[in-house]
Structures are given as C-alpha cells and as structure tokens.
Amino acid sequence: MLKWFIIFLLLLFPATSIYGQLTGNNLFEYQFGNLPYTDPSDLSSHYDQLNLGYRYKGLKATVRYEHFLSQNEGSSYANLSQFQVQYRKEKLELKIGNFNETLGNGLLVRGYEIPGSVFEEEAYRSRYGFYRDMLGFSAKYSGDIWYFQALRGKSLVNTLPPTVPVEERRIDLVEGMETGVSLYYQTLGLILMRNSNPFEKDYFYSLLFSGSLPGLLSYNFEYAHNLAEDLPVFAMDEMSRFGMYGSVSFNLGSFGMSFEYKNYHNLLIGTGISDPPTTVREHKYKVLNRSIHVPQLVDESGIQLEGYYTFNNSEHLVVNYTRSLNEFFEEYLFSEVFVEYSFYPGHKSNLTIFADYASDEFKSEDTRYATGTVWEYSVAGSWSTQLHLEYQFIEREFAERTTMHNGVVILGLSKSPGLTVSMVWELSNDPFLTDQPDTPDIENGIRHWPGVEASYRINPTNTISLFAGKRRGGPACTSGICYEVLDFEGVEIRLKTKF
Amino acid sequence: MHFVFEKKNVVAVVLLLLAAVLHAQEPVFRLRDLDNQWQEYADLKGNKLTVVDFWATWCQPCVRSIPLLNKMAAEYTDKGVSFIGVSIDGPRNQSKILPFIHSMGVTYPVLRDVNSELMSELGVTAVPTLIVFGSDGEQLYFHEGFRPGDEAIIQKHIEKFLSD
C-alpha cells in the first residue's frame, strides 16, 4: 500500500505544491540513565517522532517517521510508521492508510492516540509513540439525518514495539460498519463488525440509542453482542459475549450530573481492539491516578455517578461515586468516593483540595484513603508559585496484612507564559517497591523519588523540557487509556517543535 | 541495530519537504457538539478571529482556564471573535462533558474530538492548548498549558491581532 501512497504523492505534489500547506511537528527526547537496579546506569538513548502533513483544500496527506537509538541491543529502529491520504468534502470523509476510528462508544472497536506520549515496555526497552491505529481504509458520511461509516483495517498491538515484525504487530483484521438515523435530536444506530485473526473469527452487532433534550439532558445507550450460530443474539448467559453501556447526563443551572451503567462479559476481542467506557473516574492526582481501577472485560458490571456544582465566583465542586463488580470464580468489588473542591482564597490564590476513599478487592486493597491539595499563588506580575501535596494510605491483605503510605510533594515556580521549574519528591513504603530485586534480602523502609522538572517555551512553537533525578513509574491513565510507565533514574531532555 | 529505512520511505519524506508552504489553509473539520449535532469550522469561525481551545474534563488547568475564556468570549464575540471549545475526552468521559460544561456556564460552542484526530492534525500534544486562527485560516498564535497570568497574555494577543 505504501507504494501506491508514494505514487499518489508524486502525482499530487507537482500540481498543488504552490497552493497547499505543509504543516508538521517534531518530538525529540534524549535520555541519559536507566531503570533503577539496571546496568548500565549511564545508558544513553534518544527517540524522535516527526509528523508531516500536506493539505490542499479537502485533500490531505500525512506521514509519521519515528526512530529510536539506544545502546541496548535490538531496541533501535528507524521507521516510517504511519501514512495517510485523506479526502474531506462537506459531509464525506475518506481515509486510506493509518487511521484512528471508533465505532459507537468503543465497545467493539476503538482506535486512539495519546499525542506527545512515548511508550516503553520493560521486555523490549524500545521507545515509541503510544497509539493504537488501524492500517486500511475508512469511509464516513455524516449527514444531518443519516450517517454511515465503513472501515477495514489491521489493528496495531501497541504493546509490541516497531522492532517486532509488522505481521506480528497487526494480526487483527477489523471490518465494520456503523449506520444510523437522527431525528429531533434522537439517534438510532446499528453496528456490524467482524474481527479475524489466525486464531479466531468473531462477528458482533451493536444497537445504539442516543439523544438529548438540548441544553438540559442527554442519554446514550449501547448494547453489543456477538453473533454465533449456537447462541441467541440477546443471550446474556455465561457463554455469551456481550457489552451493555448506558449513560444519562443532565444539568440544571450551575448543577450538572452524569450517571453511567456498564455490564461487560467476555468482551475481550482479538488482541484487545475494544475499549469500552470504564465508568471509573480518571484522576489527575498522582497517587490516585496510579490506583485507577482498570476494567476486566472478562466480566465487569457497575455504575458511576458524578456531580458538578459551580458557584457564582467560579468555585467548583466535584463529587464522584463509583462501584464495579467482577465475577470470575468469586466476586471482587471495587468502590470509590471522591470529592474535590476548587476555590479562590484571596484574589491571588487558587486552592484545590480533594479527598478519596476506595476499596479494591481485586488488588487485595481493602481500604485506601487519599487526600491532598494544589495551591497556586500569583507572586508578582506574571510570576506564580505552586505547591502540590498528596498523601495516600493503603491497607493491603496480600499473604499478610500490611499498611503503606504514598506521598507526593511538588514545589514549583512559573513565569507566564513559558517557564516552569518544579521540585518533585515522591515517597512510599510499599513493600512491592522498597524491595531491591538485585539483593537476596527483602528491604523495608521508605523509598524516595526526588527530581527536578523544568520547561521553557522558547517561542509559541518550540518548547524544551528537562527532567533530572528519579521518576516513579507504575500504572498511569491518560485520555481514558491506562498503561504502565517504567521507573527512570537519570536525565531526560525533550524538545517539541511545531511548524 | 534494526533499521527499516527503505529508499521509498526517504522519497516520501523528501517530497513532503519539497512541497513549499505558500498559502495558509483554513482548518477543515466537522465534529459533533454536545447535542450530538454535526458542526463545521466554516460555520463557527469568527469574522476576524477564531479561538479554538482544546481541553478535557480530567485536566485541572483546563478547569481554571475555562471560566476566564468564557469571560473573554463574552467580551469579544461582538468584535468578530468566535470561541470554540474542543473536548478531547474519549468514550470514557463523554457523559461528563455536558454537565461539566453547563455547570461552568460556558456560552461558546463545545465540540467533541473523541479520537483526538483534530488534536493530532493541528499538532496539539497537551491540554489545555489554545490556538488563534485568522479570518483566512492562518494559525496566528499557539498557547500550550495554563498558568496564572496566561489569560492576560492571551488577551493581549487577541487585541494585537484585532488591531493589525
């Protein structure tokens, strides 16, 4: 397919080069250091991602080039990792090449990218852009009453780096279509999808029902089920594969609320091409973000309730309640209550405080408390300071009952619009983290992660960032996607360029 | 070292680089709003300037910037400046956008970039990011992040572009 893309470019550019627009961005990241307890500690590596786009009216061609160079054997690569030709005219959109598309609410298939994020797996030690795209084609017509989308593509297994042959990274062939009609703000839709790989071939359908009372209320419901000869299409027994998601959101003046329901059973499709709504709050605080409950698509049901209230002076209150139940061989309950309040003590200060209580039986963490604050103070002119404090207490029943504490302290100084310098200090006495794998003993005590972060915007299109010290890894969730971040000790420099 | 660097790949990159930038192109996008209706940039853009703000419900600096942008929108709408909010929340947080944005009293249109496609297309890699477009679609200003004092800088740029 790449050959045809090149031919297309050859034909396109001479005709349009004086009228079109070239845009692009580049991310360069250099690291000197390594994972803790790993030799050599002075490992040097760099990653670069260049994205170029050329657009002439509704026609656009894009390419992505990535490379990674490291002393680690077998982890380096240089690769033209994405290309796309896209044509948009009014309600029609056609794409050939790499694309991110979602059918419905993502119960069956979701492509995504977390722009600017770089992913690394401990087993491969190769760094690469974090996205799960499809390679193929997509066609979309989005009319005011009727919409239609068809796609066919090979989905990327993004836990495998570009050093792995593409045949192993793209084993799921996804073919699907979604169509629906909208009348008076109410939409009724249908999805049909087939996923095939060397091990299985699955057929699914999904019914969609969504709508709104403009400015007051909106709702969204999806029921997905596999199509198999020996199973009724609405069966919800142990052998069935289905997913049900529903949400209702409403607002009244400064008060807003959303309610969500989920019920997923045997919904792990292929290598994991689906990404249904988690109905779990995505926290931005470090201690809570690491503890976010990740849905188990083998079996999970639950609810989430979130309310907002904004006071006249822009003070903002968030209250969240989440409950999820997994039934494997026994039941595992996860529940969480979260409250956050942002307010302005004095005209120069902004203060946010939060409190959280959770119980996560799947992780054997019966009790989890967390609290913290973010305080921002305008010192003078465009200078400001930030103080960020977080504390978490966990009681874990794993072989024996242990209690542990996690803490985060961040002290920052900023000059608007482009300079920020922060001292970051994290600490924990979690035995999973304090034990040093390179010694036969089991170490206790407190482990520290001190570091310095700095970011300077040279101009609106160039930003340089620096990190030096120890960075704590672990589970992380960004833009609704959860993944594992590795620890790091050393120096990291990032340069983001846009043109 | 494993290199997948073929001649044809180099040709593609070189060709793109050779295609010189001579004309700004107006953004072309069509996204659903909070009432699930399709909205196009061409219908939402301002006569003089268009301010596009990328944000997410889980982003703390966004929560601080949105009330200030809302004030700016009220001040500049009559001066030919349109404000558009673009939520990059994925399917996970879709149901939260409407109550969140209404509780904040946001008056400008908010669109949903569920797959972060517009975000990638415009080279946005973090939220909040604010982009100011001219009437011809040229990108005049790009502002990433939000710190105290940023609102004054954004306002200064809008004033400058309006007076140019």
Side-chain angles (χ1 to χ4, degrees):
Chain A
M1 191 179 275
L2 188 61
K3 184 176 76 182
W4 292 106
F5 178 66
I6 304 292
I7 291 169
F8 177 82
L9 291 178
L10 282 167
L11 293 172
L12 173 73
F13 286 136
T16 63
S17 61
I18 57 165
Y19 301 110
Q21 184 181 26
L22 178 71
T23 55
N25 59 73
N26 191 78
L27 169 67
F28 172 82
E29 189 179 271
Y30 171 76
Q31 282 191 343
F32 180 78
N34 209 335
L35 309 181
Y37 317 118
T38 309
D39 286 328
S41 60
D42 58 350
L43 184 73
S44 172
S45 68
H46 84 260
Y47 167 77
D48 193 85
Q49 182 188 103
L50 173 68
N51 295 294
L52 290 171
Y54 179 82
R55 188 157 71 81
Y56 174 67
K57 293 184 177 174
L59 195 61
K60 184 168 185 182
T62 55
V63 288
R64 168 173 292 173
Y65 166 78
E66 286 178 279
H67 83 238
F68 177 71
L69 286 173
S70 166
Q71 294 159 311
N72 270 334
E73 200 177 332
S75 64
S76 301
Y77 66 89
N79 196 14
L80 197 67
S81 50
Q82 283 190 336
F83 71 93
Q84 186 193 88
V85 177
Q86 182 190 79
Y87 177 70
R88 278 185 197 159
K89 184 159 189 188
E90 294 169 359
K91 297 164 184 174
L92 182 70
E93 183 185 88
L94 304 171
K95 291 176 189 168
I96 295 174
N98 300 77
F99 59 86
N100 297 323
E101 289 292 348
T102 301
L103 295 180
N105 295 290
L107 267 67
L108 297 180
V109 62
R110 184 187 174 204
Y112 60 79
E113 166 156 18
I114 303 180
S117 73
V118 184
F119 184 68
E120 181 177 356
E121 272 276 343
E122 192 165 1
Y124 297 99
R125 298 305 313 275
S126 197
R127 293 170 71 71
Y128 52 100
F130 193 56
Y131 49 87
R132 178 158 199 146
D133 64 3
M134 273 187 268
L135 178 59
F137 73 87
S138 154
K140 201 188 288 185
Y141 174 80
S142 45
D144 295 327
I145 294 175
W146 177 68
Y147 75 92
F148 177 81
Q149 179 178 10
L151 58 85
R152 184 180 194 276
K154 287 209 151 189
S155 179
L156 181 74
V157 182
N158 59 1
T159 48
L160 298 175
T163 50
V164 173
V166 70
E167 304 77 41
E168 292 172 37
R169 296 183 84 206
R170 293 187 189 274
I171 64 169
D172 283 306
L173 175 64
V174 182
E175 296 157 293
M177 59 78 72
E178 177 180 342
T179 186
V181 286
S182 299
L183 280 171
Y184 302 107
Y185 295 97
Q186 316 307 311
T187 303
L188 194 62
L190 171 72
I191 298 171
L192 294 172
M193 191 196 83
R194 178 172 78 170
N195 181 62
S196 41
N197 60 40
F199 316 106
E200 57 184 0
K201 191 175 280 189
D202 296 316
Y203 295 82
F204 285 88
Y205 77 92
S206 193
L207 301 173
L208 304 154
F209 191 34
S210 63
S212 68
L213 296 175
L216 179 68
L217 179 144
S218 72
Y219 63 91
N220 186 1
F221 178 78
E222 179 171 355
Y223 177 78
H225 200 288
N226 74 321
L227 289 162
E229 283 179 10
D230 52 344
L231 278 174
V233 291
F234 287 107
M236 290 175 70
D237 56 29
E238 196 54 38
M239 297 302 292
S240 300
R241 304 179 69 182
F242 63 86
M244 201 182 332
Y245 170 76
S247 73
V248 180
S249 311
F250 74 94
N251 60 279
L252 199 63
S254 298
F255 175 71
M257 180 171 263
S258 70
F259 172 76
E260 291 173 273
Y261 168 79
K262 68 181 167 191
N263 189 354
Y264 308 136
H265 189 72
N266 293 325
L267 205 59
L268 192 63
I269 305 170
T271 54
I273 61 168
S274 63
D275 182 39
T278 59
T279 77
V280 175
R281 181 171 171 83
E282 180 173 332
H283 296 289
K284 52 206 167 273
Y285 302 106
K286 283 177 185 278
V287 294
L288 294 179
N289 191 279
R290 287 197 190 99
S291 300
I292 289 177
H293 174 74
V294 178
Q296 305 299 315
L297 298 182
V298 173
D299 185 88
E300 176 144 331
S301 59
I303 58 161
Q304 180 180 211
L305 199 62
E306 184 157 300
Y308 306 92
Y309 187 78
T310 304
F311 299 87
N312 285 337
N313 48 2
S314 297
E315 292 178 359
H316 191 64
L317 177 72
V318 182
V319 179
N320 180 284
Y321 172 70
T322 300
R323 180 187 160 93
S324 293
L325 185 70
N326 302 113
E327 286 185 57
F328 304 132
F329 298 104
E330 55 184 289
E331 290 188 350
Y332 298 94
L333 179 69
F334 167 80
S335 62
E336 182 176 21
V337 181
F338 171 80
V339 181
E340 181 188 66
Y341 182 50
S342 300
F343 58 107
Y344 302 88
H347 70 285
K348 284 187 166 185
S349 274
N350 169 231
L351 193 65
T352 303
I353 51 174
F354 73 90
D356 184 87
Y357 167 77
S359 172
D360 193 341
E361 292 178 355
F362 190 64
K363 287 184 178 171
S364 303
E365 294 177 353
D366 301 340
T367 307
R368 222 164 47 200
Y369 293 103
T371 187
T373 182
V374 179
W375 181 52
E376 217 164 40
Y377 181 75
S378 298
V379 183
S382 52
W383 288 92
S384 62
T385 56
Q386 299 88 36
L387 177 65
H388 194 124
L389 300 170
E390 294 176 27
Y391 168 75
Q392 185 182 43
F393 169 83
I394 301 174
E395 209 167 60
R396 186 185 289 152
E397 184 82 55
F398 192 78
E400 60 179 21
R401 180 166 286 271
T402 48
T403 56
M404 65 209 74
H405 311 267
N406 291 305
V408 177
V409 180
I410 302 172
L411 185 62
L413 181 68
S414 296
K415 186 181 186 310
S416 176
L419 177 70
T420 303
V421 181
S422 306
M423 283 185 291
V424 183
W425 176 42
E426 292 203 56
L427 63 161
S428 176
N429 68 343
D430 186 338
F432 288 163
L433 300 170
T434 54
D435 181 41
Q436 297 177 18
D438 55 351
T439 67
D441 301 323
I442 295 175
E443 286 82 7
N444 293 309
I446 298 174
R447 187 169 164 192
H448 301 265
W449 291 266
V452 176
E453 289 176 353
S455 171
Y456 177 62
R457 193 187 305 163
I458 302 161
N459 54 44
T461 53
N462 290 281
T463 304
I464 188 164
S465 311
L466 170 80
F467 171 82
K470 297 179 178 182
R471 184 162 56 206
R472 182 175 170 180
C477 294
T478 310
S479 302
I481 308 297
C482 295
Y483 51 97
E484 196 75 16
V485 175
L486 301 183
D487 277 32
F488 175 69
E489 290 183 6
V491 177
E492 179 185 280
I493 297 168
R494 252 185 179 224
L495 181 65
K496 282 200 297 186
T497 306
K498 187 177 177 303
F499 50 92
Chain B
M1 194 166 67
H2 176 72
F3 271 101
V4 191
F5 206 118
E6 297 174 23
K7 204 183 284 179
K8 60 188 177 186
N9 295 352
V10 181
V11 173
V13 175
V14 171
L15 274 170
L16 277 169
L17 286 169
L18 284 175
V21 189
L22 290 181
H23 285 263
Q25 299 263 309
E26 186 173 279
V28 179
F29 63 80
R30 186 174 165 82
L31 295 172
R32 286 188 189 270
D33 64 15
L34 300 185
D35 291 320
N36 224 21
Q37 305 299 298
W38 292 104
Q39 301 289 348
E40 289 184 34
Y41 176 81
D43 298 330
L44 299 175
K45 69 175 185 175
N47 291 332
K48 293 178 181 169
L49 299 174
T50 308
V51 180
V52 180
D53 177 48
F54 286 85
W55 66 279
T57 53
W58 42 264
C59 154
Q60 187 66 33
C62 304
V63 176
R64 289 199 297 276
S65 70
I66 285 171
L68 299 165
L69 291 176
N70 205 28
K71 276 184 196 165
M72 270 188 234
E75 187 181 339
Y76 287 101
T77 302
D78 293 340
K79 296 176 182 171
V81 184
S82 276
F83 281 70
I84 303 170
V86 177
S87 157
I88 63 144
D89 285 291
R92 175 185 196 133
N93 291 319
Q94 282 301 302
S95 69
K96 295 176 181 173
I97 304 171
L98 181 123
F100 177 88
I101 217 73
H102 279 293
S103 85
M104 299 282 254
V106 172
T107 51
Y108 50 83
V110 174
L111 311 180
R112 298 179 293 152
D113 187 20
V114 184
N115 297 322
S116 302
E117 283 197 294
L118 180 63
M119 186 185 181
S120 294
E121 191 172 322
L122 297 177
V124 176
T125 56
V127 282
T129 290
L130 180 140
I131 307 174
V132 181
F133 292 97
S135 56
D136 59 352
E138 187 186 356
Q139 225 180 81
L140 301 173
Y141 183 58
F142 189 89
H143 188 101
E144 194 178 279
F146 189 83
R147 303 164 189 84
D150 280 11
E151 69 277 16
I153 287 164
I154 292 165
Q155 201 156 358
K156 202 172 101 184
H157 277 91
I158 291 173
E159 291 287 353
K160 179 182 170 289
F161 298 137
L162 282 175
S163 62
D164 282 350

